[in-house]
Amino acid sequence: MTSYERRLVEHVAESQFEDLDIAAIEACKTFLLDSIGVGISGSRIPYAAQLLETARGWGVADEGKSATVWGTRVRLPVMHAAMVNAYQIHCQEFDCVHEDAVVHPMAVILSALMAEAEACNADGRALLLSLALAVDVATVLGMSADKPMRFFRPGTAGCIGAAAGIARLRGYDRAQIQQAMSIAYSQTGGTMQAHTEGVAVLPMQVAFNARNAITAVDMAGFGLIGPANFLSGDYGYFSIMESDGHAQGAFAKLGREWQIGRVSHKPFPTGRAAHGTLDALMQLRSEHGFAADDIESVQIEAPPLVRRLVDRPAQPDMSVNYARLCIGYVAATLLLTGDVGVQAFDRDALADPARLALAQRVRMCPSASEDPNALAPQTVIVRLKGGSEYRREMASILGHPGSPLSRKRQQEKFVNCLASARNSMDTDQAGQILAKIARLDQLQSITQLTVLLTPERQSVSVTN
């Protein structure tokens, strides 16, 4: 192994629960809650029901080797449950993101770790430590890059991170942890082409990688050997999938700064690259009181990554996945309705002629920043028909650690997510989940939490 591989293995193998500071533990609980909420809400998407039905056809779970599919009463083999839950977490673009790494750290990682922890009856402390370690691995890989993404980083980095976390959860030794990450690299995948085209396989790429992480750890467990230099080799991760121009600084954070504490909430179910615009528009509208009909144009000055991810024209026949990443559509939705919720991407909303017309007046242009991985700063300029002009520069976007969501808004998001699920859950059930997660480090078994992630009633068939 080269130094990069060795440092990851040492960090994962040697860290103990006592090394987690209070802030890291609380951040783990915060984003575990957020991710469970958006994962349960994701069950409302038709592809989630179809994936679940397909996964049931792959085989039933053995007693004691199964895990819960969130928001349903279905249990599946561990890797299949992880796959469905990963899709549900990411399918509405509502899950948290580490902005410096440009990684959604919980979609692959939490879905795989929770399924494994439930199946092996792990306790809360073991889950928290493995979660923090997995997030460190995935985000350090993301922060190492100094060039634009070609592969879908939430999936690729997430897979390697999840494999590291599961290996630690199982108590693997250093050699097995290294092999788990190496084998994960050997089967990870997902490209930015799905993002560019806005097609429905995009969130499925995190689902593939949640499944792959578990199979990688299984294979490391029976002794399969992967490449030692899976990061730094001639055909390793840093040669094929990502660049490593910032790796020295990124790897220096291991053991010094828990990256779970640098994760950002998503207040809106759209790409994080669009959040700066939405945050600015909410502020400007609140301060100046203009209406959507008053607007002549909206101009957004943004770094290259933001333009690459969400600068696409609104179209009458656009798909849901395309619309979620369309700056004009989401900006028009906020200006017309006051918010962007999960229902903003339902069929009737997508066909709304008023939204499509207003979306045409939203334009994005280059900012002074040339950083290929930056999501900020963004500057939003609203010009009114009467000649007034309002400007807001967003250096820190709502949900970022520098501009965090209040605890009240976090809980409101969670409750609303559960209510929006295919089989909705009420505030009482939400409160029970909140209470369990608050005491996660005291739980003797993760099943004390996962038993609450199923609806009291399943009112519709999963095949509908």
Side-chain angles (χ1 to χ4, degrees), residues 150-410:
R150 295 180 301 156
F151 289 82
F152 188 56
R153 193 178 296 160
T156 58
C159 184
I160 297 171
I166 297 167
R168 178 53 195 263
L169 190 67
R170 292 189 185 180
Y172 280 9
D173 62 24
R174 293 163 62 99
Q176 291 172 308
I177 291 170
Q178 189 270 333
Q179 296 302 338
M181 290 190 285
S182 174
I183 298 166
Y185 168 62
S186 297
Q187 60 179 324
T188 190
T191 80
M192 288 299 290
Q193 191 60 36
H195 194 290
T196 298
E197 296 184 19
V199 291
V201 78
L202 175 63
M204 202 67 75
Q205 293 184 147
V206 301
F208 299 152
N209 281 289
R211 174 199 62 197
N212 292 348
I214 292 171
T215 60
V217 181
D218 285 346
M219 293 173 186
F222 68 65
L224 186 67
I225 304 299
N229 297 318
F230 64 92
L231 294 180
S232 303
D234 289 343
Y235 303 100
Y237 184 81
F238 287 142
S239 297
I240 301 298
M241 289 188 164
E242 293 280 10
S243 57
D244 64 347
H246 297 315
Q248 185 174 355
F251 275 73
K253 296 178 186 292
L254 290 172
R256 296 173 53 195
E257 178 184 87
W258 292 102
Q259 292 307 309
I260 187 67
R262 303 301 303 162
V263 174
S264 299
H265 274 102
K266 276 192 173 183
F268 311 105
T270 180
R272 183 63 176 167
H275 277 61
T277 294
L278 299 179
D279 189 4
L281 289 175
M282 288 186 74
Q283 293 184 30
L284 290 172
R285 196 176 72 155
S286 176
E287 290 177 14
H288 302 290
F290 54 80
D293 289 343
D294 300 328
I295 295 174
E296 178 68 32
S297 67
V298 176
Q299 179 176 311
I300 306 140
E301 298 173 357
L305 180 64
V306 175
R307 304 197 309 275
R308 182 183 178 200
L309 294 180
V310 297
D311 186 14
R312 55 186 68 186
Q315 301 171 352
D317 58 348
M318 58 187 167
S319 69
V320 171
N321 292 86
Y322 183 101
R324 288 189 196 283
L325 301 168
C326 174
I327 191 64
Y329 178 80
V330 296
T333 296
L334 184 136
L335 290 167
L336 286 165
T337 70
D339 197 4
V340 180
V342 294
Q343 292 83 5
F345 304 95
D346 291 347
R347 187 184 304 274
D348 291 346
L350 290 174
D352 180 5
R355 297 191 202 196
L356 295 173
L358 182 54
Q360 305 306 316
R361 302 204 290 275
V362 178
R363 295 285 185 271
M364 189 168 274
C365 63
S367 68
S369 173
E370 297 182 359
D371 185 340
N373 289 300
L375 293 172
Q378 300 179 33
T379 300
V380 177
I381 304 163
V382 177
R383 297 185 176 94
L384 303 186
K385 294 173 182 177
S388 299
E389 179 177 301
Y390 304 113
R391 175 186 295 258
R392 182 59 45 87
E393 180 172 338
M394 305 301 295
S396 185
I397 300 166
L398 182 64
H400 184 273
S403 181
L405 281 188
S406 67
R407 183 63 176 167
K408 181 175 182 290
R409 286 197 64 174
Q410 293 173 27

Side-chain angles (χ1 to χ4, degrees), residues 31-45:
F31 291 106
L32 189 145
L33 175 75
D34 184 75
S35 303
I36 286 175
V38 299
I40 290 174
S41 176
S43 66
R44 70 190 295 275
I45 300 300

Side-chain angles (χ1 to χ4, degrees), residues 78-156:
V78 173
M79 69 177 182
H80 298 156
M83 185 176 187
V84 178
N85 288 336
Y87 177 80
Q88 291 184 182
I89 289 173
H90 195 57
C91 66
Q92 296 187 105
E93 284 282 352
F94 213 3
D95 53 314
C96 58
V97 63
H98 189 290
E99 295 186 25
D100 291 343
V102 197
V103 167
H104 296 263
M106 301 296 268
V108 174
I109 289 170
L110 185 65
S111 57
L113 278 175
M114 283 281 284
E116 175 69 23
E118 182 179 3
C120 71
N121 205 31
D123 64 33
R125 288 191 169 202
L127 176 63
L128 286 166
L129 176 60
S130 61
L131 175 59
L133 291 169
V135 170
D136 270 4
V137 171
T139 55
V140 163
L141 293 179
M143 289 187 291
S144 295
D146 64 340
K147 291 183 173 61
M149 283 186 286
R150 295 180 301 156
F151 289 82
F152 188 56
R153 193 178 296 160
T156 58

